[in-house]
Amino acid sequence: MAQVDWKTPKAIQYRQTEVKRTKFRFTTNRPWTQQFAQQNRVGTRRKKVFVEPITDWSFFNGDRVEILVGKDKGKQGLVNYVVQERNWVMVEGLNCHYRSIGKKGDYPGMMLQSEAPLLVTSQVALLDPSDNKPTDVEWRYTEEGDKVRVSVRTGRIIPIPKLAEETKDYKTKRTYVEQEKDTTEDDLTRITFEPALKTFEMDIATKMGIEEDRVPLKTYWY
Amino acid sequence: MMAIPARRASTLLAGTISCFRGLNISSHGATKAVVATANTNYFKTLPSASSFHTSARRLGLMEFFDDKKNWGEQEVKVGRAWKLDELRIKSNEDLHKLWYVLLKEKNMLLTMEHACKEEFQLFPNPERIDKVEESMKNLEAVVQERNKAYWLLETGETGERPGTKVKDELGRLVYKRFTEHVVPVWMHKQSKESMHQGAAMRRFQRYMREKRAIESRRYRRRIRNHVCGLLRRFPNANLESIQEQFPEVDVGRQRFARRSRGNHRNIA
């Protein structure tokens, strides 16, 4: 992720330089929010955060997990929020702390319950659906060729929850309402391409009836 | 079974295709326009612009603006961009039409963005412009692929703009894109390359080489130390994942480095 603040104009008299930011502090605020911009404003420099690299990410929204450390050790809950940049996962209603906002003079302020993020590598574990106990998870291929999560202890497949396919545009793929300007599935998947020994321009010209019989002058490229 | 959404920012493609077939536009009509002189009926024989349409929509200049329903909205729902694989199965005719559909959509979105800025209003879903640009980029890539395949098959060279790596005035290797000329290179006066080869250029090259070497050394040291930091803090980390993320570092060797030593049991 890079944020280009200023780029010199593309002209011969300018040296091609960019003023950009490549190191960001990732938190529970998403990169397009105002709070993220405030945390990563020009001039701020935060200490480096070491994040363990994980090749196959296994935690999705709606997964049942058990918390292994802290106040709520042993409790099970649903994953609410995922921050892959920090290997974080927030479990609904668990591992919470209370903070009051709007404290002024005698008024104690409003109490808010907010969840604390948990590290995916060490502080949280997926549940095996067969016995609801925490397990390690591996990604393996089925006989059909699908990549699935498999519990290492029992070998049971842990399916990806329905909540994971939710996006800002739709809750599930099937409940999406086709808009006016959207291409329908039939139009999209219909194969109209017929390979022919022609360039794009030649094909269009023949279809439009344009006949080009002029021979261009010999030119030199250097 | 409900249609699984296949969404993209394009107007009714099927409608435009059928309209196009009906009109039968050919170049023969265009060649009628002769050289304009004071005594001909040149302008009367020209087809009137207002009656020249290739699609069913007749909104005139209002095509530059969004549907009136979307004016003042906080959110406008649209699909995603066209993917490369989805464009590859389409014929050249379809791609040609889709290009103009996307172009008009982009013009509409840019007009709306400007209008919203002028009126100090919220321009909803600005990512629509990015989606259209991505679709257009993918379309151009597919067309380039097809042309390149034909050219390589028939001529042995790609039909794209030729170029080569040359040394510029400071001796740095730069990619020079060729331009088209009428005269061959030995007749072209400006092409007489006078390259400096003196001591100043050689000195500059030495300094540049040193600077690049220092930058490279520092970069390699930085990522090597970062890997050592990871191994120190995460003793149970997956070494293959770290190696994938930092292919230039020998992760197996860094396990025994002093910087990787943490307060945990020996795992080597």
Side-chain angles (χ1 to χ4, degrees):
Chain A
M1 186 172 144
Q3 195 181 69
V4 180
D5 290 313
W6 165 255
K7 214 169 173 178
T8 52
K10 205 173 177 183
I12 196 152
Q13 68 265 41
Y14 297 99
R15 177 148 49 108
Q16 301 256 299
T17 39
E18 289 181 312
V19 173
K20 68 175 179 191
R21 200 201 173 96
T22 42
K23 293 181 189 167
F24 296 91
R25 177 67 135 195
F26 290 101
T27 57
T28 48
N29 299 313
R30 296 301 186 193
W32 52 84
T33 51
Q34 194 261 326
Q35 294 98 317
F36 183 91
Q38 172 64 18
Q39 285 170 323
N40 291 284
R41 64 187 180 276
V42 171
T44 54
R45 214 176 156 180
R46 301 292 300 271
K47 256 180 94 173
K48 186 157 78 162
V49 170
F50 282 85
V51 176
E52 197 178 331
I54 297 173
T55 22
D56 288 314
W57 185 261
S58 320
F59 293 79
F60 303 95
N61 269 334
D63 264 332
R64 305 226 84 208
V65 292
E66 182 171 310
I67 300 175
L68 308 170
V69 294
K71 246 194 311 170
D72 295 325
K73 179 173 174 175
K75 292 193 188 159
Q76 298 176 354
L78 287 173
V79 168
N80 213 355
Y81 199 81
V82 167
V83 181
Q84 260 185 268
E85 292 88 358
R86 295 286 295 264
N87 291 348
W88 277 349
V89 133
M90 309 244 274
V91 184
E92 201 176 347
L94 293 174
N95 202 39
C96 293
H97 53 273
Y98 301 93
R99 54 193 182 99
S100 58
I101 51 169
K103 195 167 180 183
K104 198 172 180 182
D106 269 344
Y107 180 57
M110 224 162 57
M111 279 285 248
L112 269 183
Q113 189 195 57
S114 47
E115 297 121 350
L118 291 153
L119 273 176
V120 139
T121 44
S122 53
Q123 298 175 346
V124 133
L126 281 169
L127 294 178
D128 193 329
S130 52
D131 55 4
N132 275 348
K133 294 253 168 67
T135 43
D136 278 327
V137 160
E138 245 180 26
W139 284 89
R140 290 186 206 157
Y141 291 92
T142 56
E143 273 169 20
E144 287 88 46
D146 307 313
K147 202 174 183 191
V148 286
R149 293 184 296 184
V150 160
S151 151
V152 169
R153 198 183 58 225
T154 48
R156 167 92 159 72
I157 294 173
I158 304 172
I160 294 177
K162 278 277 164 69
L163 232 67
E165 70 174 302
E166 185 182 325
T167 65
K168 198 170 184 295
D169 297 326
Y170 54 79
K171 270 249 174 326
T172 57
K173 287 193 176 173
R174 282 160 194 274
T175 56
Y176 177 76
V177 175
E178 292 273 351
Q179 300 297 318
E180 207 186 272
K181 290 192 178 173
D182 290 343
T183 315
T184 50
E185 199 197 346
D186 310 310
D187 282 331
L188 181 77
T189 49
R190 193 181 312 129
I191 300 172
T192 51
F193 179 54
E194 280 152 16
L197 198 64
K198 286 180 181 171
T199 58
F200 178 81
E201 288 83 17
M202 284 159 75
D203 198 8
I204 300 289
T206 47
K207 293 262 162 57
M208 289 177 83
I210 299 167
E211 281 151 24
E212 186 66 72
D213 53 2
R214 298 177 294 178
V215 177
L217 246 179
K218 179 163 170 60
T219 52
Y220 304 88
W221 286 85
Y222 48 83
Chain B
M1 191 195 95
M2 258 194 281
I4 293 154
R7 321 158 295 152
R8 54 235 93 277
S10 81
T11 48
L12 302 151
L13 192 60
T16 55
I17 291 168
S18 60
C19 260
F20 194 78
R21 287 207 189 106
L23 263 160
N24 189 32
I25 292 146
S26 66
S27 63
H28 305 303
T31 52
K32 262 191 211 161
V34 217
V35 173
T37 60
N39 293 328
T40 57
N41 293 322
Y42 175 76
F43 294 108
K44 286 186 191 164
T45 52
L46 267 181
S48 161
S50 59
S51 59
F52 186 86
H53 295 282
T54 52
S55 62
R57 304 169 89 216
R58 297 280 185 277
L59 302 167
L61 279 177
M62 288 314 288
E63 286 195 54
F64 275 109
F65 297 93
D66 208 352
D67 194 355
K68 287 230 165 101
K69 286 188 285 183
N70 293 333
W71 288 16
E73 289 288 314
Q74 297 293 304
E75 198 195 354
V76 173
K77 278 209 168 179
V78 289
R80 59 164 172 79
W82 282 85
K83 288 187 192 162
L84 276 166
D85 283 328
E86 288 161 3
L87 292 165
R88 283 188 183 117
I89 58 170
K90 296 292 175 207
S91 66
N92 287 327
E93 206 182 334
D94 283 346
L95 291 180
H96 191 58
K97 285 164 195 161
L98 181 60
W99 178 266
Y100 288 99
V101 164
L102 290 168
L103 184 66
K104 287 180 76 176
E105 181 73 15
K106 187 170 162 186
N107 284 339
M108 183 275 282
L109 290 170
L110 290 172
T111 311
M112 289 305 289
E113 191 185 29
H114 179 79
C116 288
K117 231 189 254 184
E118 293 281 289
E119 301 292 319
F120 303 102
Q121 299 245 331
L122 173 77
F123 175 57
N125 296 64
E127 77 272 1
R128 290 181 285 171
I129 302 173
D130 297 318
K131 286 178 183 175
V132 172
E133 278 178 354
E134 195 193 326
S135 303
M136 288 171 94
K137 191 174 79 145
N138 287 344
L139 209 163
E140 190 171 4
V142 168
V143 169
Q144 262 186 331
E145 266 175 23
R146 291 183 186 175
N147 283 350
K148 213 168 154 181
Y150 173 87
W151 272 84
L152 282 172
L153 206 62
E154 295 288 294
T155 57
E157 55 184 41
T158 64
E160 277 154 30
R161 183 168 177 175
T164 185
K165 276 202 173 151
V166 287
K167 279 192 181 174
D168 66 355
E169 293 85 3
L170 291 168
R172 296 174 295 189
L173 274 174
V174 286
Y175 184 76
K176 183 185 165 196
R177 289 160 79 225
F178 288 165
T179 42
E180 206 171 6
H181 301 270
V182 182
V183 293
V185 66
W186 54 266
M187 269 173 72
H188 194 232
K189 285 184 210 148
Q190 288 96 316
S191 272
K192 284 207 183 118
E193 261 138 272
S194 56
M195 215 178 58
H196 313 297
Q197 276 279 23
M201 222 262 278
R202 285 198 299 273
R203 190 171 354 121
F204 172 80
Q205 283 295 305
R206 255 186 288 129
Y207 290 160
M208 273 303 286
R209 195 149 183 254
E210 188 188 350
K211 187 173 182 184
R212 269 199 295 267
I214 290 168
E215 280 172 9
S216 154
R217 201 188 311 142
R218 284 184 185 164
Y219 166 75
R220 277 180 284 120
R221 186 179 295 157
R222 189 166 47 241
I223 56 172
R224 200 187 320 136
N225 291 342
H226 182 77
V227 165
C228 292
L230 283 173
L231 293 169
R232 188 165 87 235
R233 288 164 176 83
F234 307 113
N236 304 316
N238 187 356
L239 297 174
E240 279 156 10
S241 307
I242 302 180
Q243 185 68 79
E244 257 178 59
Q245 204 182 38
F246 301 100
E248 296 125 322
V249 179
D250 188 351
V251 176
R253 192 170 160 182
Q254 293 312 314
R255 275 188 301 154
F256 311 112
R258 192 184 292 276
R259 222 181 262 263
S260 311
R261 194 189 183 287
N263 295 329
H264 46 76
R265 208 168 287 172
N266 188 12
I267 44 153

